[in-house]
């Protein structure tokens, strides 16, 4: 609960201090990128703040490079 | 194409210091165990071979920087690959820099919570680092690099003191037998030397346009990388000579274990914090440059007015990502050992080669038209 509150406060502060002035100046592209990053940051921070398990992005890296890695380690006789 | 997002300029000396910091980076803590796991007592040969293999990679980046002296990596990508493919590759590179930074922040947190501050939550360490990082990024490239310049003598002094204090504990017998299993394990070990100290320097392509180039810039670029490689060779060699290949490969942080061995006259002992300071310094600058590369990359890719405005969301993103990037330390080490090197090689070697090929093809097309 405290974690979520702090995250929401940070998001609110960033919107107040950065996003709103950007939109007032007509910097809409910056505003969109800022908003997407802020939403992503709030989303992932929620999991970190509340210690909720989340699928590790490194699993994607493993999925992409596993076939090549296994082939190379096997071909070169390297310790795995 | 003159970059308008970064107005700061750094000197060749500052670039050289940055290269040394980034080469040492997190490698001072993770490289000895990775190379010893692969090559056992011949891990020091892996460092020499890996350093030699890194020079052509540095040359490729240098060539790109020479052909496009005022463009950073993102601008080069967009210029060579066009609006849509270039945009996609530019975004991909930004994401890569983001994940390298997330990994470094996580490594720092894991190191402190495993070795020094065992009762402290991981996220607290991450937050502390992120605040300092955000402060540095808000100030810009020049202050970050100038800070590196200020800390560099202390970094060298502490490293030298550590090395000197360890010399009574050296056991050359730990290096035998020499090449008992042939060259293949040495090649394996050299893969980690190629990627972790050197290939991850690809982020420097985001910084090179802002260097005030002199006649000695090119020479100092290579010399700094070689000096960083020399530091890594000494660290790996000392790990093997003092701890031996078994302990080096099985210790979570062999350099930290190395520092525990310092005992001069039962007076000078328990200097492990020195290793922690060295590592925090080198990892901080590596993280700062990757973070800067991500922010500048995002601003360039989406044609934003500035990159500093993204620091707030970046801190939130990293706070989350540094925690979720890996479920535990064991999984992370496994990825570092088997999979991450190939991602680094894709981004540091394969893609730059494709960019060079695209540049050459563009020049040929221009020559044919003429």
């Amino acid at each position: 609960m405290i974690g979520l509150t702090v995250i929401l406060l940070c998001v609110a502060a960033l919107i107040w201090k950065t996003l709103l002035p950007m939109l007032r100046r007509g910097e809409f592209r910056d505003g969109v990128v800022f908003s997407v990053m802020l939403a992503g940051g709030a989303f992932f921070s929620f999991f970190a703040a509340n210690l909720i398990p989340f699928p590790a992005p490194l699993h994607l890296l493993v999925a992409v490079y596993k076939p090549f890695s296994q082939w190379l380690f096997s071909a070169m006789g390297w310790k795995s | 194409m003159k970059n308008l997002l970064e107005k700061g300029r750094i000197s060749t000396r500052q670039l050289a210091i940055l290269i040394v910091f980034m080469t040492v980076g997190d490698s001072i803590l993770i490289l000895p165990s990775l190379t010893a796991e692969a090559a056992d007592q011949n891990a020091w040969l892996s460092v020499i071979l890996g350093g030699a293999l890194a020079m052509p990679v540095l040359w490729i980046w240098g060539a790109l920087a020479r052909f496009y002296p005022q463009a950073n990596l993102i601008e080069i990508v967009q210029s060579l690959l066009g609006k849509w493919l270039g945009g996609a590759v530019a975004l991909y590179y930004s994401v890569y820099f983001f994940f390298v930074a997330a990994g470094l922040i996580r490594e720092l947190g894991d190191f402190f919570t495993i070795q020094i501050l065992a009762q402290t939550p991981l996220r607290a360490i991450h937050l502390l680092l992120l605040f300092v990082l955000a402060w540095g990024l808000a100030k810009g490239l020049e202050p970050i690099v100038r800070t590196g310049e200020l800390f560099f003598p202390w970094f060298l002094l502490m490293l030298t003191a550590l090395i000197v204090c360890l010399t009574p504990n050296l056991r050359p017998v730990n290096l035998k037998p020499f090449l008992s299993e042939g060259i293949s394990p040495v090649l394996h070990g050299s893969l980690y030397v190629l990627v972790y100290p050197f290939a991850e320097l690809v982020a420097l392509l985001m910084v090179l346009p802002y260097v005030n180039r002199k006649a000695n810039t090119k020479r100092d670029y290579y010399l700094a990388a070689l000096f960083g490689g020399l530091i890594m060779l000494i660290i790996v060699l000392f790990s093997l000579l003092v701890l031996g290949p078994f302990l080096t490969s099985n210790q979570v942080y062999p350099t930290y274990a190395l520092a525990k061995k310092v005992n001069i006259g039962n007076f000078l002992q328990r200097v492990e914090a020195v290793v922690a300071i060295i590592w925090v310094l080198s990892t901080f600058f590596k993280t700062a440059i990757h973070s800067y590369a991500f922010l500048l990359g995002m601003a360039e890719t989406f044609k934003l007015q500035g990159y500093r405005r993204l620091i707030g969301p970046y801190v939130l993103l990293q706070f989350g990502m540094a925690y979720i990037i890996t479920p535990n330390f064991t999984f992370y080490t496994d990825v570092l050992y088997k999979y991450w090197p190939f991602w680094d090689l894709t981004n540091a070697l394969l893609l730059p080669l494709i960019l060079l090929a695209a540049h050459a093809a563009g020049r040929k097309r221009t020559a044919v038209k003429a």
Side-chain angles (χ1 to χ4, degrees):
Chain A
M1 195 62 205
I2 294 174
L4 179 62
T5 311
V6 170
I7 291 167
L8 288 174
L9 282 172
C10 291
V11 168
L14 284 169
I15 289 173
W16 178 260
K17 191 109 181 17
T18 313
L19 182 61
L20 290 178
M22 263 197 281
L23 295 175
R24 271 186 229 118
R25 286 194 299 264
E27 294 165 1
F28 298 114
R29 195 202 302 249
D30 295 50
V32 167
V33 175
F34 182 94
S35 302
V36 169
M37 281 181 66
L38 190 62
F43 178 74
F44 290 121
S45 291
F46 174 74
F47 286 89
N50 294 289
L51 295 175
I52 302 170
F54 189 88
L58 288 184
H59 285 299
L60 184 60
L61 189 72
V62 172
V64 169
Y65 287 103
K66 193 169 185 175
F68 177 74
S69 174
Q70 281 180 335
W71 168 79
L72 185 67
F73 273 64
S74 166
M76 298 295 289
W78 290 348
K79 277 188 262 181
S80 57
Chain B
M1 49 196 118
K2 201 166 157 57
N3 190 287
L4 299 170
L5 284 172
E6 177 57 63
K7 306 264 188 316
R9 293 293 177 267
I10 65 176
S11 66
T12 300
R13 187 173 71 173
Q14 288 170 332
L15 173 70
I17 289 171
L18 198 62
I19 291 174
V20 174
F21 268 131
M22 286 181 72
T23 309
V24 174
D26 59 331
S27 304
I28 193 170
L29 227 45
I30 63 168
L31 196 68
S33 64
L34 288 171
T35 47
E37 175 66 28
D40 296 314
Q41 70 278 5
N42 297 307
W44 63 283
L45 289 170
S46 293
V47 180
I48 296 172
L49 181 60
L53 290 172
M55 292 301 119
V57 179
L58 287 168
W59 180 87
I60 291 168
W61 303 337
L64 275 174
R66 254 193 334 275
F67 295 139
Y68 301 92
Q70 292 193 347
N72 58 40
L73 176 62
I74 301 298
E75 288 174 310
I76 294 171
V77 163
Q78 289 175 322
S79 149
L80 285 173
L81 301 180
K83 185 178 176 187
W84 295 109
L85 180 60
V89 174
L91 186 60
Y92 167 78
Y93 259 119
S94 300
V95 168
Y96 165 68
F97 296 139
F98 175 78
F99 276 103
V100 173
L104 290 168
I105 293 167
R106 179 57 183 261
E107 282 177 31
L108 198 82
D110 279 336
F111 170 68
F112 271 96
T113 52
I114 290 172
Q115 297 288 4
I116 305 176
L117 302 170
Q119 307 292 329
T120 304
L122 187 64
R123 297 157 298 157
I125 310 291
H126 291 168
L127 262 178
L128 282 173
L129 178 64
L130 283 168
F131 283 144
V132 179
L133 209 52
W135 187 19
L137 290 167
K139 291 297 172 192
L141 178 66
E142 272 191 52
I144 291 172
V145 170
R146 262 187 248 129
T147 310
E149 217 179 347
L150 279 173
F151 276 114
F152 192 64
W154 298 105
F155 168 81
L156 281 183
L157 183 69
M158 283 188 281
L159 198 56
T160 309
L162 179 70
I163 299 300
V164 165
C165 291
L166 282 170
T167 45
N169 301 337
L170 300 179
R171 298 205 320 263
V173 69
N174 286 343
L175 294 183
K176 294 178 185 176
F178 185 71
L179 286 176
S180 56
E181 289 175 43
I183 196 74
S184 185
V186 175
L187 271 173
H188 185 187
S190 69
L191 172 67
Y192 305 112
V193 179
L194 175 60
V195 299
Y196 294 124
F198 295 106
E200 289 185 351
L201 286 177
V202 70
L204 280 178
L205 280 173
M206 297 296 288
V207 170
L208 286 177
Y210 317 118
V211 177
N212 287 326
R213 292 179 197 206
K214 300 240 163 24
N216 59 328
T217 301
K218 187 178 167 182
R219 178 202 70 184
D220 290 355
Y221 166 72
Y222 289 105
L223 277 179
L226 280 171
F227 183 64
L230 178 66
I231 293 175
M232 292 321 308
L233 175 63
I234 292 170
I235 292 293
V236 170
L237 200 54
F238 270 61
S239 295
L240 292 171
L241 288 167
V242 175
L243 300 173
F246 178 78
L247 277 178
T248 304
S249 60
N250 287 287
Q251 280 284 339
V252 176
Y253 300 109
T255 325
Y256 194 74
L258 204 63
K260 287 181 184 176
K261 293 283 186 180
V262 172
N263 187 357
I264 309 289
N266 279 331
F267 174 73
L268 186 66
Q269 47 188 217
R270 299 303 305 267
V271 294
E272 304 88 85
V274 169
V275 166
I277 294 170
I278 292 169
W279 192 58
V280 168
L281 280 176
S282 57
T283 306
F284 172 78
F285 289 105
K286 189 170 176 176
T287 313
I289 294 303
H290 279 89
S291 303
Y292 172 80
F294 166 72
L295 291 172
L296 189 62
M298 290 295 281
E300 290 280 3
T301 305
F302 294 106
K303 305 277 184 281
L304 305 183
Q305 300 290 322
Y307 68 85
R308 286 183 174 83
R309 52 196 55 194
L310 302 178
I311 291 172
Y314 174 72
V315 167
L316 272 178
L317 263 173
Q318 281 294 18
F319 177 70
M321 191 52 65
Y323 178 75
I324 70 168
I325 190 169
T326 178
N328 52 60
F329 185 71
T330 310
F331 176 76
Y332 186 71
T333 339
D334 196 51
V335 170
L336 284 183
Y337 188 70
K338 293 180 196 167
Y339 310 110
W340 197 299
F342 306 111
W343 194 31
D344 275 345
L345 283 177
T346 306
N347 302 321
L349 181 60
L350 182 64
L351 282 174
L353 272 176
I354 291 172
L355 291 174
L356 268 184
H359 169 80
R363 283 180 69 183
K364 205 173 175 184
R365 216 178 298 124
T366 313
V368 164
K369 274 186 191 162

